[in-house]
Amino acid sequence: MQSTSSEQSSLPSPPSLFPCPWLVGEQTALCAKAQGLVVEYVPETTSTNLMAKEMAAGPGSAKPFEGGFFPGQNKIYITDNQTAGRGRYDRKWISPPPGTALLMSWAWQLDSLPSPQLTELIGDCLYRAAKSIWPMGRFSVKPPNDLYLAGKKVAGLLLENISQGNQNCLIIGLGLNVFAYPHELDTATSLVEGLATGEQGGGSSSDGEQIVTKESWNAFLNSYLKQVPGFFC
């Protein structure tokens, strides 16, 4: 999808960037909006999962659902820079430079508790979406919530559920390194670097940038965003 000037002007200004062809968060927000999804994009935040939790609690409230919990809507929260992200077991999520990663949380209003197997099922959706668009990539899933590429971690999922009575807010957090990754983590990689290795190894990040275009990224997002609702509809 080629964004129009009117679409671009509807989003806040992004933070200063590590050199990359385009802003992952901004482009993701445009793509999700084009699918008719409810999206909130901010250039920078503490954590998209925390944004979703605060919305579930209601404005100025510490109690879930007190504020009415975005009636009838499921909402996606996206940023280009996350300053206090968390992984499983409250581990700190180290974000790559602003604009280079997918940092997204999808909040769902449910009438019952989510299945314990949901993390693995959504992880499989992520794998299938990536493999369908970039079949040359050596993708694999490390249960229950990590996506690996060429033997290194490229993405992680964090599912959190907030319950009160028969009301549930399921938050699906996703972090995916696209153009860069935290170099202090020797087990991490980015999409462009992992794809550049191909089947034979070698290659550079610039090679990967020729593979991860706006068009291929939008196709990946469309696949992932269309698969996930099947678990709730």
Side-chain angles (χ1 to χ4, degrees), residues 1-8 10-11 22-37 39 78 213-222 225:
M1 176 189 69
Q2 294 294 329
S3 56
T4 65
S5 58
S6 60
E7 285 177 317
Q8 290 175 330
S10 69
L11 296 176
W22 36 272
L23 296 169
V24 176
E26 182 183 61
Q27 183 63 28
T28 299
L30 291 170
C31 183
K33 285 183 177 182
Q35 286 199 29
L37 300 173
V39 177
I78 301 171
T213 61
K214 279 188 181 182
E215 290 72 22
S216 67
W217 180 250
N218 287 344
F220 160 75
L221 287 173
N222 287 335
L225 295 173

Side-chain angles (χ1 to χ4, degrees), residues 178-194:
V178 181
F179 293 112
Y181 63 93
H183 283 273
E184 57 266 46
L185 301 177
D186 58 8
T187 58
T189 191
S190 65
L191 192 58
V192 295
E193 184 167 301

Side-chain angles (χ1 to χ4, degrees), residues 74-196:
N74 302 308
K75 192 170 185 178
I76 297 178
Y77 300 84
I78 301 171
T79 188
D80 267 308
N81 193 36
Q82 195 165 252
T83 60
R86 294 287 171 181
R88 295 184 76 216
Y89 309 117
D90 206 35
R91 296 189 184 110
K92 183 179 180 180
W93 172 272
I94 302 175
S95 295
T100 64
L102 171 60
L103 303 167
M104 178 177 84
S105 295
W106 199 345
W108 287 83
Q109 185 176 11
L110 306 177
D111 295 327
S112 59
L113 288 171
S115 166
Q117 287 77 44
L118 199 54
T119 300
E120 291 189 27
L121 293 171
I122 293 176
D124 186 59
C125 288
L126 187 64
Y127 168 82
R128 285 188 278 119
K131 194 67 177 175
S132 68
I133 305 304
W134 301 292
M136 78 295 290
R138 292 178 286 158
F139 291 100
S140 61
V141 176
K142 182 180 179 181
N145 67 327
D146 291 339
L147 182 68
Y148 272 57
L149 174 57
K152 293 187 175 183
K153 182 175 176 178
V154 69
L157 288 162
L158 176 65
L159 272 64
E160 297 184 271
N161 188 62
I162 303 171
S163 298
Q164 183 170 302
N166 63 351
Q167 291 183 297
N168 294 274
C169 173
L170 175 68
I171 302 168
I172 305 170
L174 171 60
L176 193 159
N177 303 325
V178 181
F179 293 112
Y181 63 93
H183 283 273
E184 57 266 46
L185 301 177
D186 58 8
T187 58
T189 191
S190 65
L191 192 58
V192 295
E193 184 167 301
L195 289 175

Side-chain angles (χ1 to χ4, degrees), residues 199-218:
E199 295 294 339
Q200 305 300 323
S204 66
S205 293
S206 60
D207 296 325
E209 289 177 12
Q210 303 303 312
I211 301 171
V212 185
T213 61
K214 279 188 181 182
E215 290 72 22
S216 67
W217 180 250
N218 287 344

